[in-house]
Amino acid sequence: MRTRNKAKLQNQSTANEDSVKNYGEMKSRSGCKDRASDNETLANISRGAVGKLLKRVNKSRSSRGPKTDDSYLCKQDSTGKPENRSRETEKHLTGTTVARATLDAECCTRDVLPNVPLEVENEGADVQYQRIEREDELDGIDWEDGSVHTLKSESNINEDTINGVTVEFDALPDSSKQKTVRRATAEEKELAEVVHKVNLLCLLARGRLVDTACNDPLIQASLLSLLPAHLLKLTDVPELTAKALTPLVSWFHSHFRVRGASDTEKSFHSALASTLESQEGTSEEVAALSVALFRALNLTTRFVSILDVASLKPEIEKLYPSGQSPSKAGSGIFNSSTLMVAAPKYSPLSPAKSLADGKHNNGKSRATITDKSDKRMSPSTSDAQRDANDECIMKSERPKRKGDLEFEMQLEMALSSTAVEIVRNTMVSELADVQSTSSNVSPFKKKKIKAEECSTSSHGISTAVGSRKVGAPLYWAEVYCSGENLTGKWVHVDVVNAITDGEQNVEAAAAACKLHLRYVVAFAGNGAKDVTRRYCTKWYKIASERVNSIWWDAVLAPLKELESVATSDVVHLRRETSDESKKREVAQSTATRSSLEDMELETRALTEPLPTNQQAYRNHRLYIIERWLNKYQILYPKGPVLGFCSGHPVYPRSCVQTLKRKEKWFREGLQVKANEIPAKVLKHSGKQNKEQDVKDDDYGEEDCGGTVALYGQWQTEPLFLPPAVNGIVPKNGRGQVDVWSEKCLPPGTVHLRLPRLVPVAKRLEIDFAPAMVGFEFRNGRSLPVYEGIVVCTEFKDAILETYAEEEERRQAKERKRSEAEALSRWYQLLASLITRQRLHNCYVDGASSQSAVNFATSNDKSSLLARDAEDTKKTPEYQQEKSEIAQSDSPPTVLAEDHAHVFVVEDQTVDEESSTRTKRCRCGFSVQYEEL
DNA sequence: GTGGTCTAGTGCACTTTGTGCGGG
DNA sequence: GCCCGCACTTTGTGCACTAGACCA
């Protein structure tokens, strides 16, 4: 679509600004003329002229092709005053326009007016032509092919209207064509993974928190006190079965209600106590209470939770349109449907919230209802509601998926039909509130609860519309029933939905609620165990959504032990009355219970049913269909056929073999057996073929005719290389040995990974081969990397011995060289110091040039510096000078004339910190140097 | 709603064996 | 003249994977 560059006022790009400025310039030019003559008349005439001009420009555009159709440009208001604009926008835009007009007025005087007669009426065809040309010149700048953001289109139209121009789009932006698909970058993936992991850890911690709260003796005692007497004895049977739990579950389900909201500021423990008191709470609290009750009844019980973590994959395209940063929209753990904050997530469709959603998302028709609801809410509830509303606003800013749009439409219809019912329910709840005085729950809270109940159908899996349905199985209990099966069984008990032993239904229920069973974790004894396998039969669907199993197993390992100990401990306590021998037996059985469960889960993993769609086989860990084999894979042996999917035979994944070229096998220390037919022959690309034709392969690779032969491991045998004979190392065509691994070394040879071995081997006249250990890319090409040499084993010691000697010699030589260099540098330093001092004496202290010359002469050979101090002492000159100095009372400057500096040892000072030594001559000259 | 197919974008693995110049 | 070390410059292609669009 060709659009007017509307980005001017949005400061989107400089180019856009320029282009729009050009248009503003056009307008201002006409404004200049207005001022030049009659304001009113010329203004109107000018506007008319601009309109004409635009029409002609548009005409010329449209004549150039369908893509340049700008018919959407037309003059809207003859007065140029915008209609229906906001005050802020008006202010902003007026300022901008005036500023630009002033600026352009100055420009137009110089730029346009000199060439154009002021009489607009007489504006000749030439001028118009010039202007049109100008427009054409601007065409490339001022107009561009651009996308239109739907969310901003409305405001943009207003802005353009302000300028007296209406921007009309002849077609709705085609989202499917405009949307550029942006894939997640590696960095974003990494970030998503980190968020996922952190979210997992938080949810694990949350689960442990809940598990600990379930052990509270006060809560357990309170629950027992509520339990009818006949139910107390239900579980007091030696072989507990799932059936025996049913009455208990029914009682619990009827006595505890689930509400959506929760006071997130309370600790979970106090929230649990409140739930116990009011017999209403979140599904998490209700499930936790059920676990507490079962534990109070001495049943081995776990608290099980689906960890609904942030996605492992960055959902960029889903959540954020192009140009909208994740930070702006909010992302990850804080915006995901995490269980850390229970309230908003579990009641997405409560009437109040739904109405609030409607307020923001859908029109004002529902605003009245929302207002009513809001007015009845308590301040705290309103705050919560505001939070929810904020969340809704955030959600509304995101691009909506097709399903979400449909959901909104359905929601709107449902609300319109049930609005009356909601109001009635609210009134009923108000009435009930007035009547009930004993309850501690605030009337406002109760209203909300009641209102929510009417739409969420409180218990059972709802079939409500929406992407997140109410009733998703998120929390339940697992009770160990020793009477189930032969070895006992962990029985799924969901008091929220009043389901016992319904583990096979969890997956379907979760799927119906758009909830993936990525992680199902059972908590007990402050530990945790991943029991996802028990509830998830379609592992292939969640495998890619789970974190790296090594990391996950490592995280769970200590928790798993705690859980295992805890569940056995519970059993142990339960049978405390047993005698010692029985105790031992129980301990033994619990030890195997954990391993039995592991076996059960592993069995489930290995007996996963065959998927019914072909895509599932692509990365399935157990099964494969032939179409998903890549070019380096083959089925060997080709069977057994486990089943069929859309006519494709399904094979075990274990039949998939990786194929490699001969050279690749060589690198792994294997060679293809003689007379083996390639398992697969691949065609090479043109470029590779060309290169392959030019060169010969080292090992007789069969790459010719643009094909490459691949072999499977079953076609290989251990590498057999020609051995070293008579001290000669067998080499390849390039006179080297490729040392990919130790297996690639010819028998009887050894790889010496030391530098500077080549001269040693040459000196000893020992046969060797450079060892190529790999390739590296430099200068845009791959270059071989050599490391050491390959020699026959019998020469190893001799070479190493000589190498050691050679290295010692080399190091000594190196040391000597460095010392000599140090001396040389010292000499240079001191010589420069002397020169400096000489110049100082000569020109700064006012010494005679003659003395300077003498000084220089006496020092030219640097005899003083070359001389050692001790040696100097022994010389007759030194002795003479010393005596002269002692006898003379002359100032040092006089003495300095034609004298060589003498540094007496006694006059030397040493700075220990800086290791600097200062030598002083009696004449006052001193030299400071650093000791090496 | 689900699955199959096609398309396009992204990331990654594979490929693979120099040359010229200056200083010693 | 020979040998050694260093600098130069930083691929290109194809495939696997993934996700979206579209259709049945």
Side-chain angles (χ1 to χ4, degrees):
Chain A
M1 178 184 292
R2 197 167 177 84
T3 64
R4 177 76 184 172
N5 201 340
K6 62 182 179 295
K8 174 181 67 177
L9 299 172
Q10 298 167 357
N11 297 323
Q12 282 186 348
S13 69
T14 313
N16 289 351
E17 280 187 7
D18 292 340
S19 62
V20 180
K21 204 179 281 181
N22 288 331
Y23 173 64
E25 206 172 350
M26 289 293 297
K27 287 184 69 181
S28 306
R29 286 167 192 160
S30 63
C32 288
K33 296 183 189 83
D34 292 350
R35 284 188 295 276
S37 56
D38 181 28
N39 284 339
E40 281 300 315
T41 314
L42 279 181
N44 291 335
I45 292 169
S46 177
R47 288 190 191 102
V50 169
K52 279 182 196 173
L53 190 63
L54 288 172
K55 275 183 187 177
R56 291 188 62 166
V57 170
N58 293 339
K59 201 175 177 181
S60 64
R61 283 174 198 280
S62 58
S63 65
R64 288 192 300 243
K67 201 182 174 184
T68 57
D69 182 10
D70 292 328
S71 58
Y72 45 77
L73 269 179
C74 65
K75 203 162 182 303
Q76 188 207 23
D77 186 0
S78 61
T79 61
K81 289 181 180 178
E83 294 174 2
N84 300 328
R85 62 183 175 187
S86 67
R87 187 167 296 175
E88 290 81 4
T89 316
E90 183 180 5
K91 188 180 175 184
H92 169 68
L93 292 172
T94 308
T96 312
T97 313
V98 168
R100 187 170 296 121
T102 313
L103 188 70
D104 291 341
E106 293 169 8
C107 299
C108 71
T109 316
R110 295 189 303 269
D111 188 20
V112 181
L113 290 182
N115 302 325
V116 182
L118 283 177
E119 294 80 14
V120 179
E121 295 92 337
N122 298 330
E123 190 175 28
D126 289 345
V127 176
Q128 285 192 19
Y129 179 70
Q130 282 177 8
R131 289 198 171 183
I132 290 166
E133 271 194 339
R134 246 171 221 286
E135 274 292 329
D136 286 340
E137 285 171 11
L138 296 173
D139 186 33
I141 309 166
D142 202 6
W143 301 86
E144 66 175 11
D145 294 329
S147 60
V148 178
H149 296 286
T150 315
L151 290 174
K152 294 174 180 175
S153 60
E154 194 178 338
S155 59
N156 291 335
I157 287 170
N158 286 338
E159 288 164 3
D160 286 324
T161 306
I162 291 158
N163 288 332
V165 176
T166 303
V167 178
E168 293 176 359
F169 302 102
D170 50 1
L172 285 172
D174 188 349
S175 59
S176 65
K177 288 179 183 175
Q178 295 288 328
K179 190 162 47 178
T180 54
V181 178
R182 191 176 77 82
R183 299 281 300 275
T185 62
E187 192 182 358
E188 287 164 343
K189 285 177 182 171
E190 192 181 352
L191 179 66
E193 187 182 340
V194 170
V195 170
H196 182 85
K197 285 179 176 175
V198 171
N199 202 179
L200 265 180
L201 294 175
C202 290
L203 293 175
L204 273 179
R206 172 74 176 188
R208 296 175 76 191
L209 196 76
V210 175
D211 172 57
T212 308
C214 294
N215 289 332
D216 185 80
L218 197 61
I219 288 175
Q220 289 186 359
S222 305
L223 283 165
L224 284 179
S225 69
L226 290 172
L227 197 66
H230 69 278
L231 291 176
L232 277 171
K233 294 179 182 177
L234 271 180
T235 54
D236 197 16
V237 289
E239 299 292 327
L240 183 70
T241 60
K243 201 176 177 181
L245 294 171
T246 309
L248 201 57
V249 172
S250 300
W251 173 84
F252 200 97
H253 178 70
S254 60
H255 278 75
F256 287 90
R257 294 190 171 195
V258 175
R259 58 173 162 81
S262 166
D263 188 353
T264 53
E265 294 196 0
K266 273 187 190 173
S267 71
F268 184 79
H269 193 271
S270 54
L272 206 59
S274 299
T275 303
L276 179 59
E277 192 179 357
S278 63
Q279 299 188 5
E280 282 176 336
T282 64
S283 60
E284 185 185 34
E285 290 157 4
V286 171
L289 282 179
S290 73
V291 171
L293 176 64
F294 293 141
R295 285 180 182 170
L297 291 168
N298 278 339
L299 302 181
T300 311
T301 311
R302 293 159 161 175
F303 173 75
V304 183
S305 168
I306 293 177
L307 306 188
D308 191 17
V309 292
S311 176
L312 188 58
K313 294 164 190 169
E315 299 180 8
I316 294 160
E317 283 307 315
K318 285 181 188 172
L319 295 176
Y320 321 111
S322 57
Q324 197 173 358
S325 67
S327 58
K328 186 179 174 185
S331 64
I333 186 171
F334 304 109
N335 217 26
S336 68
S337 54
T338 165
L339 304 183
M340 296 301 292
V341 181
K345 177 178 180 293
Y346 208 65
S347 59
L349 292 178
S350 66
K353 192 177 175 182
S354 299
L355 289 170
D357 285 357
K359 180 183 176 183
H360 288 287
N361 291 334
N362 300 307
K364 52 188 178 184
S365 62
R366 289 177 302 282
T368 317
I369 303 171
T370 313
D371 290 341
K372 282 181 184 176
S373 309
D374 286 341
K375 281 173 189 172
R376 291 192 186 104
M377 285 181 190
S378 67
S380 62
T381 317
S382 299
D383 288 341
Q385 194 64 52
R386 269 195 298 276
D387 291 341
N389 292 349
D390 291 341
E391 191 183 333
C392 293
I393 291 166
M394 286 180 71
K395 283 178 182 174
S396 69
E397 286 173 354
R398 299 171 188 167
K400 293 182 177 63
R401 295 171 299 177
K402 193 179 173 183
D404 290 336
L405 290 171
E406 288 172 2
F407 161 56
E408 283 180 9
M409 289 173 65
Q410 288 175 330
L411 182 64
E412 192 175 346
M413 288 161 60
L415 285 169
S416 62
S417 62
T418 56
V420 179
E421 186 68 20
I422 291 165
V423 173
R424 193 195 313 154
N425 278 326
T426 316
M427 290 172 69
V428 168
S429 67
E430 278 180 334
L431 192 64
D433 292 337
V434 172
Q435 288 171 350
S436 69
T437 53
S438 61
S439 172
N440 290 331
V441 182
S442 73
F444 300 109
K445 217 170 190 175
K446 275 221 163 186
K447 267 180 269 179
K448 192 180 175 189
I449 294 162
K450 295 284 181 187
E452 283 169 356
E453 281 172 5
C454 72
S455 81
T456 58
S457 67
S458 73
H459 304 305
I461 296 167
S462 167
T463 55
V465 292
S467 54
R468 276 291 169 109
K469 298 171 186 177
V470 179
L474 279 172
Y475 316 97
W476 60 89
E478 270 187 355
V479 180
Y480 191 80
C481 294
S482 54
E484 293 287 335
N485 297 339
L486 289 173
T487 55
K489 177 189 168 187
W490 285 102
V491 172
H492 159 264
V493 179
D494 182 359
V495 295
V496 175
N497 296 303
I499 299 170
T500 310
D501 200 13
E503 66 184 39
Q504 67 280 2
N505 300 327
V506 172
E507 188 176 29
C513 301
K514 298 283 182 187
L515 191 65
H516 283 189
L517 289 179
R518 289 172 294 181
Y519 304 92
V520 183
V521 178
F523 297 91
N526 211 20
K529 185 175 186 177
D530 188 338
V531 292
T532 314
R533 285 282 183 189
R534 176 170 293 131
Y535 299 95
C536 178
T537 56
K538 295 175 181 175
W539 188 263
Y540 65 88
K541 283 192 172 178
I542 62 158
S544 64
E545 297 175 10
R546 280 169 64 98
V547 74
N548 173 17
S549 62
I550 296 170
W551 180 86
W552 181 233
D553 291 344
V555 167
L556 281 185
L559 298 176
K560 196 177 169 185
E561 277 189 26
L562 286 172
E563 190 275 340
S564 178
V565 170
T567 48
S568 63
D569 280 346
V570 173
V571 175
H572 187 266
L573 287 173
R574 188 162 61 90
R575 302 188 178 183
E576 207 169 29
T577 51
S578 309
D579 59 32
E580 282 300 315
S581 62
K582 277 191 177 179
K583 270 187 188 175
R584 260 181 258 120
E585 188 183 325
V586 166
Q588 182 65 28
S589 70
T590 50
T592 55
R593 178 190 294 175
S594 179
S595 57
L596 275 175
E597 187 188 26
D598 290 341
M599 282 172 63
E600 178 207 337
L601 298 177
E602 187 60 26
T603 306
R604 285 172 184 263
L606 296 172
T607 55
E608 198 177 326
L610 296 180
T612 53
N613 69 75
Q614 295 180 38
Q615 294 282 342
Y617 290 94
R618 199 161 192 162
N619 292 309
H620 204 289
R621 59 188 284 274
L622 295 177
Y623 314 116
I624 183 76
I625 57 176
E626 208 164 358
R627 64 171 297 183
W628 295 128
L629 292 173
N630 65 30
K631 66 176 187 175
Y632 290 106
Q633 288 179 330
I634 197 172
L635 288 170
Y636 184 84
K638 203 170 180 178
V641 176
L642 302 174
F644 290 89
C645 176
S646 305
H648 298 275
V650 178
Y651 301 96
R653 176 67 73 169
S654 57
C655 295
V656 177
Q657 299 274 349
T658 304
L659 303 175
K660 292 177 183 176
R661 289 183 297 148
K662 275 185 179 178
E663 193 187 22
K664 289 280 182 186
W665 285 123
F666 170 79
R667 292 180 187 183
E668 294 185 10
L670 297 168
Q671 66 179 18
V672 176
K673 293 175 192 168
N675 303 322
E676 282 287 344
I677 301 167
K680 197 186 263 189
V681 178
L682 293 180
K683 284 186 179 179
H684 257 181
S685 66
K687 187 194 171 193
Q688 285 171 324
N689 289 342
K690 211 173 180 179
E691 289 174 356
Q692 291 288 347
D693 291 343
V694 171
K695 66 173 189 282
D696 293 324
D697 196 271
D698 303 344
Y699 303 97
E701 189 76 318
E702 66 297 321
D703 295 342
C704 56
T707 61
V708 58
L710 301 175
Y711 300 89
Q713 191 166 11
W714 74 94
Q715 296 177 294
T716 62
E717 60 186 3
L719 187 62
F720 175 77
L721 290 170
V725 181
N726 297 329
I728 305 297
V729 177
K731 308 173 187 71
N732 64 16
R734 293 188 174 85
Q736 64 196 31
V737 175
D738 294 352
V739 190
W740 299 102
S741 68
E742 290 296 315
K743 294 173 186 172
C744 299
L745 281 175
T749 64
V750 64
H751 180 205
L752 303 176
R753 287 176 177 263
L754 292 168
R756 297 176 292 275
L757 273 177
V758 173
V760 175
K762 277 183 178 173
R763 196 152 63 87
L764 295 175
E765 295 180 343
I766 291 173
D767 185 62
F768 70 96
M772 196 205 72
V773 295
F775 288 93
E776 68 174 4
F777 263 96
R778 276 191 299 167
N779 306 332
R781 62 173 77 90
S782 65
L783 299 173
V785 176
Y786 297 96
E787 198 171 303
I789 60 172
V790 177
V791 294
C792 293
T793 315
E794 60 263 31
F795 300 129
K796 179 185 173 185
D797 292 338
I799 284 187
L800 289 180
E801 200 175 322
T802 312
Y803 175 77
E805 290 171 6
E806 194 67 31
E807 278 296 292
E808 199 176 332
R809 202 163 25 244
R810 192 185 64 81
Q811 284 170 4
K813 198 175 172 182
E814 181 70 20
R815 194 163 48 243
K816 202 173 177 182
R817 193 192 62 78
S818 65
E819 283 175 4
E821 189 176 340
L823 278 175
S824 167
R825 293 194 186 283
W826 271 116
Y827 172 81
Q828 288 173 10
L829 172 68
L830 295 177
S832 64
L833 282 173
I834 290 165
T835 306
R836 185 170 180 273
Q837 183 63 35
R838 178 166 51 83
L839 292 171
H840 182 81
N841 291 340
C842 189
Y843 297 109
V844 178
D845 293 347
S848 68
S849 60
Q850 183 60 43
S851 65
V853 171
N854 291 339
F855 186 83
T857 310
S858 66
N859 290 290
D860 267 348
K861 292 176 184 176
S862 303
S863 58
L864 170 68
L865 296 167
R867 244 184 277 159
D868 187 78
E870 290 301 321
D871 293 338
T872 311
K873 285 181 188 175
K874 295 172 189 172
T875 57
E877 292 87 350
Y878 172 78
Q879 298 297 337
Q880 187 187 348
E881 193 166 14
K882 197 175 177 183
S883 62
E884 281 174 8
I885 293 168
Q887 291 169 7
S888 172
D889 292 326
S890 306
T893 48
V894 177
L895 283 172
E897 290 179 7
D898 68 2
H899 114 120
H901 292 293
V902 176
F903 302 101
V904 187
V905 179
E906 291 81 15
D907 292 337
Q908 288 185 10
T909 55
V910 180
D911 187 357
E912 298 292 345
E913 279 189 10
S914 58
S915 300
T916 53
R917 189 181 289 270
T918 309
K919 287 183 174 181
R920 289 190 178 81
C921 178
R922 294 300 167 94
C923 70
F925 177 74
S926 65
V927 175
Q928 196 176 50
Y929 65 96
E930 193 176 338
E931 285 192 326
L932 286 173

